Amino acid sequence: MRRILLTLVTLMALLPVTARAQDGTGTITVSVSYRERIALPPDAELDLQLIDLSRQAGTQRIASQRFAMTGVPMKVMLAFDPRVVRQPSNLAVSATILAGDAPIFKGMEPAPDLATPLGIMLRMVDDKAPTLPFAGIQWAVTEIAGEAWPNDDPATLIVDDGLAFSIFGGCNRFVGRLDVTDTGIAFPENFAGTLMACPDTVEAAERRFLSALRLVAGYARDGSTLELTDAAGATVLRFAERPE
C-alpha cells in the first residue's frame, strides 16, 4: 500500500510538467525599471516582445504581450511557444512603456537563456532624437581600419529609428542604444551581449570589431556603403548594405 501511495504522489507531481510540455507554452520572467524619478500616467502600459535577432530572420517577433503598469520595478511573465524558437542564443526581449500609443521608455536585452529571469533597464525616449540616414538597414562589415573582414560570415549592424542597435559580432550578439553627440554619434562603452564560445580567429575578429565601434564618432553614407569614422575623421569601419 505504501508503494502504491508513493507511486501516486510521484505521478501527481509530474502532472504539471507533463501538461506544460503538451500545451506547448513556455514563459520568461522579465523585470523592467528606469532610473528617472518620474511618475507614469494612469494609462501607462508595458509592451513586451520576444524577438529573434538572427540575420536570416531579421527581427522576427516570436511573442508579444501588453500589461497595465502597476509600478516600477515591475515583474511580469511573457508567454511564448518554444516550438518556434530555433536558436535561443539569437533571442532578445524588447520592452516599451507607452502612454496611449506614444513610447515613454524603451529598452532591449539579449535573452539566450529563457529559464533565467531577465532584467531590463529602460531609457527615456527622446522625441527630438534625429533619424539617422542609415537606420532601418542591415549593414555587413567589409573592413576594420582598412583590413578586410577575415571570413564569409561578417559582423552586422542594424540601428532603428529610436537609435537602438542590434549587433552580430561574428560570434556573439549585442544590443544597446546609440548616443547622439554634438558632432556625430557614439556607441556606449559597454553594452549587453551573449557569451558564446567560438573559434579563436572568430573571437579575435569580433574583439577588433567591438574595439573599433568604441572609437566611432561620426558616419558617412554613400548609397549602399556606410563608413563609421573616429574623432579625427578616419574610417574605422566600412560596411556594405545587406538586404534582409
Side-chain angles (χ1 to χ4, degrees):
M1 184 67 177
R2 180 182 177 85
R3 183 176 298 174
I4 294 174
L5 287 174
L6 287 174
T7 302
L8 288 173
V9 169
T10 302
L11 289 174
M12 291 178 67
L14 290 174
L15 280 175
V17 177
T18 304
R20 190 177 184 81
Q22 289 176 345
D23 66 17
T25 60
T27 57
I28 178 172
T29 301
V30 181
S31 177
V32 299
S33 187
Y34 55 83
R35 293 189 175 91
E36 290 80 359
R37 295 185 177 182
I38 62 173
L40 294 173
D43 63 341
E45 296 179 338
L46 172 63
D47 181 89
L48 281 185
Q49 296 188 14
L50 180 64
I51 58 177
D52 186 337
L53 296 175
S54 67
R55 290 164 298 153
Q56 293 81 3
T59 54
Q60 183 181 23
R61 184 175 60 186
I62 293 176
S64 64
Q65 191 171 349
R66 282 201 181 186
F67 306 84
M69 288 296 300
T70 57
V72 177
M74 179 170 169
K75 183 183 291 187
V76 295
M77 298 180 71
L78 176 63
F80 64 92
D81 186 342
R83 293 170 296 185
V84 301
V85 176
R86 295 175 177 84
Q87 290 182 297
S89 61
N90 292 338
L91 299 180
V93 174
S94 171
T96 306
I97 296 179
L98 302 142
D101 292 326
I104 308 174
F105 293 93
K106 296 185 71 173
M108 184 166 60
E109 288 286 340
D113 183 2
L114 296 174
T116 301
L118 183 68
I120 305 178
M121 183 60 67
L122 307 182
R123 297 183 60 168
M124 183 176 287
V125 174
D126 183 1
D127 294 333
K128 298 179 180 178
T131 299
L132 299 174
F134 57 88
I137 298 171
Q138 185 178 78
W139 298 95
V141 68
T142 57
E143 296 179 9
I144 303 176
E147 183 176 332
W149 184 262
N151 57 50
D152 58 359
D153 193 20
T156 59
L157 167 70
I158 302 176
V159 181
D160 68 17
D161 290 337
L163 303 181
F165 62 77
S166 171
I167 290 171
F168 169 66
C171 178
N172 289 284
R173 298 186 181 276
F174 307 89
V175 293
R177 190 175 186 276
L178 278 176
D179 293 320
V180 176
T181 67
D182 293 338
T183 57
I185 59 172
F187 286 83
E189 183 65 25
N190 297 295
F191 33 84
T194 59
L195 294 172
M196 303 290 291
C198 293
D200 291 344
T201 55
V202 175
E203 289 188 359
E206 180 175 271
R207 286 195 298 270
R208 292 187 63 233
F209 175 66
L210 296 176
S211 296
L213 282 177
R214 294 182 174 92
L215 298 175
V216 170
Y219 61 88
R221 179 184 176 183
D222 182 9
S224 60
T225 300
L226 172 67
E227 294 184 355
L228 299 183
T229 57
D230 62 16
T235 300
V236 294
L237 289 164
R238 181 173 283 110
F239 297 82
E241 184 175 349
R242 184 170 187 168
E244 295 288 349

